[in-house]
Amino acid sequence: MPKECTIFWFRRDLRLEDNVGLYHALESDFSVLPIFIFDPKILEELPQDDPRVGFIYSRLEKMQTTLNAYDTSIEVKHSEPLTAFKELSKDFKIKHIVTNRDYEPYARQRDSEIKTWAEENDITFTTYKDQVIFEIDEVVKQDGLPYTVYTPYKNKWLETFNASPEKPVSKLDLNNFLKHRAALPSLGNLGFKESEIKVPEIDLSVVSDYAKTRDYPAQEGTSHIGPHLRFGTVGIRSIVAKVKDKEGTYLSELIWREFFMQILYHYPKVISNNFRAKYDGIQWRNNKEDFKKWCHGETGYPMVDAGMRELNQTGYMHNRVRMVVASFLCKHLLIDWQWGEAYFATKLLDYELAANNGNWQWAAGTGCDAAPYFRIFNPTSQLEKFDKHKKYIHKWIPEYGTDQYPSPMVDHKEARERALAAYKKGIEN
């Protein structure tokens, strides 16, 4: 006789604490079967040694060890989600499916499909807000429309939070898991192998001095929280509770994350289109050889090259450098921001569709609340300002200062004038 159970579906919430959906699942009338699904639609685009898959796997192993102490384990499937649930329904009498909400278009389509199947089989499907403090329409303008400018959104976010702070979820009762043992499939069985690139642990000790150190890539001034928020190895409520009373710059960065998420939710066209249609007329050069030099960090501009080499070797790039690198691609080389966004998506440990898209459109000048198109970072002056002693440069470009390092592939002044002309013409057409 199949066991009656509530399924909790882990996705972007790989933790057993401060997890809203899991808390509610464990409070249900039935024992909880935790599951995770490796979706081939997502995995098939990734290289065999993708460090993000390895990171997910290591977190599943960590949770599995904890759950084994409660005589339970995570049921891991490697199939399309609907197929996985149909298989599970043969072995378990599923009464409820509980999960945390995901706001990306593919996730919303997938969840709608699962909900339809569940309801057809007398199974309730319930989702909860977990990966953000505020979602969808909780921080909107007085007329109910979403904000498209960051500062008023941030002000309303803070006003709403201060009036009713979102607190970390109470300690979860892990005794209500279904007594069930299942082994994790090996990474090899999933078609992957260990990567040499590892996700760094979070370091919140930098928060107090974040405003002073965040722009200097040679300093250890960032917390490396991005991948952990992306895959939910920490709860956003717990993080905000720790940083909210410190200097506000760090919290502002967390609010940017939610701003871009609600932009993607309300304006899904941004995935493949400019947020501001008036920029659709820009004639990008899209030179493949120039793009290749940019990807490999061989442009002759040290800050750009150091950033790209850091990304290629570690899956990370310092935020100040990301802005310089993105501006260089779009403005100096006149290459469509979507090329850069796609490349970052393949490399970044903290890749998140909403933030990646929002930041690239910001750099290109085509997005909501974007930098004006005539703001073109000078990579040389940025280097002098933020890496004056060349520590960052020497770390990533060992041949810097020798004949092996290439000359600049474009002249800054000429490239700037070319970009301004292309943008102006594109807007006028």
Side-chain angles (χ1 to χ4, degrees), residues 382-393:
Q382 288 285 308
L383 175 62
E384 289 301 318
K385 188 173 182 180
F386 297 111
D387 190 35
K388 187 176 181 179
H389 301 294
K390 312 290 192 299
K391 289 183 179 179
Y392 178 71
I393 299 307

PDB file of all heavy atoms in Angstrom, residues 382-393:
ATOM      1  N   GLN A 382      39.287  54.143 -15.145  1.00  0.00           N
ATOM      2  CA  GLN A 382      38.723  53.250 -14.129  1.00  0.00           C
ATOM      3  C   GLN A 382      39.830  52.441 -13.457  1.00  0.00           C
ATOM      4  O   GLN A 382      39.816  52.225 -12.242  1.00  0.00           O
ATOM      5  CB  GLN A 382      37.713  52.292 -14.774  1.00  0.00           C
ATOM      6  CG  GLN A 382      36.410  52.942 -15.186  1.00  0.00           C
ATOM      7  CD  GLN A 382      35.494  53.236 -14.008  1.00  0.00           C
ATOM      8  OE1 GLN A 382      35.198  52.373 -13.191  1.00  0.00           O
ATOM      9  NE2 GLN A 382      35.073  54.483 -13.893  1.00  0.00           N
ATOM     10  N   LEU A 383      40.814  52.027 -14.247  1.00  0.00           N
ATOM     11  CA  LEU A 383      41.948  51.298 -13.694  1.00  0.00           C
ATOM     12  C   LEU A 383      42.743  52.180 -12.741  1.00  0.00           C
ATOM     13  O   LEU A 383      43.098  51.754 -11.629  1.00  0.00           O
ATOM     14  CB  LEU A 383      42.846  50.818 -14.841  1.00  0.00           C
ATOM     15  CG  LEU A 383      44.158  50.127 -14.459  1.00  0.00           C
ATOM     16  CD1 LEU A 383      43.884  48.857 -13.675  1.00  0.00           C
ATOM     17  CD2 LEU A 383      44.984  49.829 -15.709  1.00  0.00           C
ATOM     18  N   GLU A 384      43.012  53.407 -13.143  1.00  0.00           N
ATOM     19  CA  GLU A 384      43.780  54.322 -12.290  1.00  0.00           C
ATOM     20  C   GLU A 384      43.039  54.629 -10.988  1.00  0.00           C
ATOM     21  O   GLU A 384      43.649  54.780  -9.930  1.00  0.00           O
ATOM     22  CB  GLU A 384      44.056  55.629 -13.048  1.00  0.00           C
ATOM     23  CG  GLU A 384      45.059  55.496 -14.173  1.00  0.00           C
ATOM     24  CD  GLU A 384      46.417  54.994 -13.677  1.00  0.00           C
ATOM     25  OE1 GLU A 384      46.869  55.454 -12.609  1.00  0.00           O
ATOM     26  OE2 GLU A 384      47.001  54.120 -14.352  1.00  0.00           O
ATOM     27  N   LYS A 385      41.734  54.672 -11.070  1.00  0.00           N
ATOM     28  CA  LYS A 385      40.941  55.033  -9.892  1.00  0.00           C
ATOM     29  C   LYS A 385      40.766  53.864  -8.933  1.00  0.00           C
ATOM     30  O   LYS A 385      40.827  54.046  -7.706  1.00  0.00           O
ATOM     31  CB  LYS A 385      39.569  55.541 -10.355  1.00  0.00           C
ATOM     32  CG  LYS A 385      38.718  56.139  -9.243  1.00  0.00           C
ATOM     33  CD  LYS A 385      37.453  56.770  -9.816  1.00  0.00           C
ATOM     34  CE  LYS A 385      36.620  57.402  -8.703  1.00  0.00           C
ATOM     35  NZ  LYS A 385      35.380  58.024  -9.236  1.00  0.00           N
ATOM     36  N   PHE A 386      40.566  52.659  -9.458  1.00  0.00           N
ATOM     37  CA  PHE A 386      40.182  51.542  -8.593  1.00  0.00           C
ATOM     38  C   PHE A 386      41.233  50.434  -8.457  1.00  0.00           C
ATOM     39  O   PHE A 386      41.063  49.526  -7.650  1.00  0.00           O
ATOM     40  CB  PHE A 386      38.854  50.945  -9.083  1.00  0.00           C
ATOM     41  CG  PHE A 386      37.716  51.921  -9.015  1.00  0.00           C
ATOM     42  CD1 PHE A 386      37.136  52.425 -10.168  1.00  0.00           C
ATOM     43  CD2 PHE A 386      37.243  52.371  -7.782  1.00  0.00           C
ATOM     44  CE1 PHE A 386      36.089  53.342 -10.096  1.00  0.00           C
ATOM     45  CE2 PHE A 386      36.202  53.289  -7.700  1.00  0.00           C
ATOM     46  CZ  PHE A 386      35.635  53.774  -8.861  1.00  0.00           C
ATOM     47  N   ASP A 387      42.309  50.517  -9.255  1.00  0.00           N
ATOM     48  CA  ASP A 387      43.403  49.551  -9.088  1.00  0.00           C
ATOM     49  C   ASP A 387      44.721  50.266  -9.365  1.00  0.00           C
ATOM     50  O   ASP A 387      45.538  49.837 -10.192  1.00  0.00           O
ATOM     51  CB  ASP A 387      43.222  48.357 -10.028  1.00  0.00           C
ATOM     52  CG  ASP A 387      44.183  47.209  -9.724  1.00  0.00           C
ATOM     53  OD1 ASP A 387      44.493  46.999  -8.532  1.00  0.00           O
ATOM     54  OD2 ASP A 387      44.612  46.544 -10.674  1.00  0.00           O
ATOM     55  N   LYS A 388      44.909  51.342  -8.642  1.00  0.00           N
ATOM     56  CA  LYS A 388      46.026  52.256  -8.876  1.00  0.00           C
ATOM     57  C   LYS A 388      47.372  51.546  -8.872  1.00  0.00           C
ATOM     58  O   LYS A 388      48.262  51.852  -9.675  1.00  0.00           O
ATOM     59  CB  LYS A 388      46.002  53.352  -7.811  1.00  0.00           C
ATOM     60  CG  LYS A 388      47.002  54.467  -8.021  1.00  0.00           C
ATOM     61  CD  LYS A 388      46.809  55.543  -6.968  1.00  0.00           C
ATOM     62  CE  LYS A 388      47.796  56.692  -7.195  1.00  0.00           C
ATOM     63  NZ  LYS A 388      47.597  57.762  -6.177  1.00  0.00           N
ATOM     64  N   HIS A 389      47.553  50.577  -7.974  1.00  0.00           N
ATOM     65  CA  HIS A 389      48.838  49.894  -7.847  1.00  0.00           C
ATOM     66  C   HIS A 389      48.908  48.612  -8.687  1.00  0.00           C
ATOM     67  O   HIS A 389      49.858  47.834  -8.553  1.00  0.00           O
ATOM     68  CB  HIS A 389      49.116  49.593  -6.378  1.00  0.00           C
ATOM     69  CG  HIS A 389      49.157  50.822  -5.509  1.00  0.00           C
ATOM     70  ND1 HIS A 389      50.134  51.779  -5.646  1.00  0.00           N
ATOM     71  CD2 HIS A 389      48.317  51.262  -4.524  1.00  0.00           C
ATOM     72  CE1 HIS A 389      49.922  52.756  -4.776  1.00  0.00           C
ATOM     73  NE2 HIS A 389      48.822  52.474  -4.090  1.00  0.00           N
ATOM     74  N   LYS A 390      47.889  48.401  -9.509  1.00  0.00           N
ATOM     75  CA  LYS A 390      47.863  47.287 -10.470  1.00  0.00           C
ATOM     76  C   LYS A 390      47.906  45.902  -9.817  1.00  0.00           C
ATOM     77  O   LYS A 390      48.300  44.918 -10.467  1.00  0.00           O
ATOM     78  CB  LYS A 390      49.013  47.411 -11.484  1.00  0.00           C
ATOM     79  CG  LYS A 390      49.196  48.780 -12.117  1.00  0.00           C
ATOM     80  CD  LYS A 390      48.092  49.128 -13.081  1.00  0.00           C
ATOM     81  CE  LYS A 390      48.417  50.348 -13.929  1.00  0.00           C
ATOM     82  NZ  LYS A 390      48.639  51.585 -13.181  1.00  0.00           N
ATOM     83  N   LYS A 391      47.489  45.782  -8.578  1.00  0.00           N
ATOM     84  CA  LYS A 391      47.508  44.474  -7.910  1.00  0.00           C
ATOM     85  C   LYS A 391      46.552  43.499  -8.589  1.00  0.00           C
ATOM     86  O   LYS A 391      46.873  42.328  -8.815  1.00  0.00           O
ATOM     87  CB  LYS A 391      47.137  44.625  -6.428  1.00  0.00           C
ATOM     88  CG  LYS A 391      48.199  45.302  -5.593  1.00  0.00           C
ATOM     89  CD  LYS A 391      47.763  45.348  -4.129  1.00  0.00           C
ATOM     90  CE  LYS A 391      48.828  46.011  -3.262  1.00  0.00           C
ATOM     91  NZ  LYS A 391      48.392  46.075  -1.841  1.00  0.00           N
ATOM     92  N   TYR A 392      45.357  43.980  -8.889  1.00  0.00           N
ATOM     93  CA  TYR A 392      44.355  43.138  -9.562  1.00  0.00           C
ATOM     94  C   TYR A 392      44.845  42.750 -10.957  1.00  0.00           C
ATOM     95  O   TYR A 392      44.730  41.591 -11.381  1.00  0.00           O
ATOM     96  CB  TYR A 392      43.036  43.900  -9.635  1.00  0.00           C
ATOM     97  CG  TYR A 392      41.907  43.188 -10.337  1.00  0.00           C
ATOM     98  CD1 TYR A 392      41.283  42.083  -9.761  1.00  0.00           C
ATOM     99  CD2 TYR A 392      41.443  43.638 -11.568  1.00  0.00           C
ATOM    100  CE1 TYR A 392      40.229  41.436 -10.399  1.00  0.00           C
ATOM    101  CE2 TYR A 392      40.389  43.005 -12.212  1.00  0.00           C
ATOM    102  CZ  TYR A 392      39.784  41.907 -11.622  1.00  0.00           C
ATOM    103  OH  TYR A 392      38.743  41.271 -12.256  1.00  0.00           O
ATOM    104  N   ILE A 393      45.418  43.729 -11.653  1.00  0.00           N
ATOM    105  CA  ILE A 393      45.899  43.495 -13.017  1.00  0.00           C
ATOM    106  C   ILE A 393      47.003  42.432 -13.027  1.00  0.00           C
ATOM    107  O   ILE A 393      46.968  41.480 -13.816  1.00  0.00           O
ATOM    108  CB  ILE A 393      46.423  44.810 -13.639  1.00  0.00           C
ATOM    109  CG1 ILE A 393      45.291  45.837 -13.717  1.00  0.00           C
ATOM    110  CG2 ILE A 393      47.010  44.538 -15.022  1.00  0.00           C
ATOM    111  CD1 ILE A 393      44.034  45.390 -14.398  1.00  0.00           C
TER     112      ILE A 393
END
